[in-house]
């Protein structure tokens, strides 16, 4: 799957989940024990800032509502579709250099996993986009979660039984208890 399509679908699903957050849920805990819902969504919004910075732009201000999130996603996607952009290089959150195309896919994976975290926190449907999950696994498991663990932002791997659904495999690799 093309990394921009992957990001657009992952961020679109994240926006829809953000739209389900009720006013009384912004301070409930999430599976990311250091963050409540508001802090988690703030982190997710940070993915746009990371990509905009990688594109040599100034991060735009993004609200914590579905419409602002979708607007930021659309702006980011338009910038990413400029020919040659995905081949440029940037620094990863773990401190190594990678292509902007890889950064886009990595940000998509972050959006996917945190959409699940948000769904758990607010009691929503936890099913993720199967095709995006499959793309994340193909691109990043098992190498990237190990890099994330070394950098301190991915929890210990959780074991799942052989033949577990792809969503469970991805979540477990990223330290979640599916």
């Amino acid at each position: 799957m093309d990394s921009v399509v992957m990001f657009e679908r992952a961020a679109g699903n994240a926006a829809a989940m953000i739209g389900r957050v009720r006013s009384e849920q912004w301070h409930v805990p999430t599976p990311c024990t250091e963050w409540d819902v508001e802090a988690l969504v703030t982190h997710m919004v940070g993915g746009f800032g990371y990509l905009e910075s990688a594109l040599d732009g100034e991060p735009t201000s993004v609200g914590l509502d579905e419409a602002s999130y979708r607007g930021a996603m659309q702006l980011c996607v338009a910038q990413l579709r400029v020919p040659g952009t995905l081949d440029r290089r940037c620094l990863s959150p773990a401190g190594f250099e990678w292509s902007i195309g890889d950064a886009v896919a990595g940000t998509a994976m972050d959006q996917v996993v945190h959409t699940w975290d948000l769904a758990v926190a607010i009691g929503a449907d936890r099913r993720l986009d199967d095709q995006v999950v499959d793309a994340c696994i193909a691109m990043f498991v098992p190498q990237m979660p190990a890099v994330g663990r070394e950098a301190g932002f991915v929890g210990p791997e959780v074991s799942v039984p052989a033949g577990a659904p792809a969503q469970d495999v991805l979540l477990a690799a990223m330290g979640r208890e599916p």
Side-chain angles (χ1 to χ4, degrees), residues 67-128:
S68 294
Y69 206 89
R70 284 189 189 282
M73 174 196 67
Q74 290 165 350
L75 176 66
C76 219
V77 166
Q79 293 171 335
L80 292 167
R81 288 201 169 123
V82 171
T85 298
L86 299 180
D87 296 326
R88 293 175 38 204
R89 309 294 289 172
C90 67
L91 208 56
S92 78
F96 60 86
E97 189 178 287
W98 59 353
S99 72
I100 289 179
D102 288 339
V104 171
T107 304
M109 182 170 68
D110 191 65
Q111 296 284 309
V112 168
V113 172
H114 288 314
T115 297
W116 182 87
D117 292 332
L118 184 55
V120 170
I122 67 171
D125 185 352
R126 299 175 186 189
R127 280 178 293 164
L128 300 170

Side-chain angles (χ1 to χ4, degrees), residues 27 49 63 73 93 106 111 125 129 134 168:
H27 296 291
M73 174 196 67
Q111 296 284 309
D125 185 352
D129 182 319
D134 290 343
D168 291 357

Side-chain angles (χ1 to χ4, degrees), residues 22-47:
R22 297 186 312 270
S23 59
E24 69 273 10
Q25 294 177 312
W26 285 102
H27 296 291
V28 298
T30 71
C32 300
T33 57
E34 67 277 12
W35 292 332
D36 64 5
V37 167
E38 183 176 7
L40 175 64
V41 173
T42 299
H43 166 77
M44 293 168 73
V45 163

